[in-house]
Amino acid sequence: MGFPTDAKILTVDDMATMRKIIKSLLAQLGYTNVDEAENGKEALAKLKQQKYDLVLLDWNMPEMDGITLLQEIRKDPDLKNIPVIMVTAEAKKENVLQAIQTGANNYIVKPFTADTLKEKLDKVWAQLQG
């Protein structure tokens, strides 16, 4: 059993094409309640305005990068429990460690398939049920 398909998901990436790909992969998995933001600043504003069940967060972005946004989410009492999956082209071990230490629930390296996304969503869901 994974994330409920009515979960509200925010995908944050500065590239419109990548947001479209992620939305399409989520749709294949049955997730249609997907919102998007093009940088950390815009995402933080949206997170403060409405409730999200999950954030898919790109690492490298202008305005505010993914790690900075993750830090902001984790220190805000209203947002700190939202699960965050980092999405990045960086597969370096130190990046993965930094993301986890900063509070990411999981990590996906681009490019990825719907199956990989489902596997990560299921893992995060299992952690939350833990």
Side-chain angles (χ1 to χ4, degrees), residues 81-94:
N81 295 322
I82 299 173
V84 176
I85 298 177
M86 292 298 290
V87 179
T88 179
E90 300 284 341
K92 288 192 232 110
K93 195 173 180 185
E94 57 268 25

Side-chain angles (χ1 to χ4, degrees), residues 12 54-61 65-71 83-90 95-96 98-100 102-110 112 117 120 124:
V12 189
L54 175 73
V55 178
L56 293 171
L57 181 55
D58 182 34
W59 190 299
N60 298 310
M61 296 179 290
D65 68 13
I67 280 290
T68 308
L69 176 58
L70 182 56
Q71 289 165 341
V84 176
I85 298 177
M86 292 298 290
V87 179
T88 179
E90 300 284 341
N95 287 37
V96 177
Q98 186 185 357
I100 301 299
T102 307
N105 296 75
N106 217 312
Y107 197 94
I108 299 180
V109 179
K110 295 175 192 171
F112 55 91
L117 182 56
K120 300 289 183 174
V124 171

Side-chain angles (χ1 to χ4, degrees), residues 26-37:
L26 286 165
Q28 285 175 43
L29 298 173
Y31 299 97
T32 52
N33 193 359
V34 182
D35 198 359
E36 52 184 85

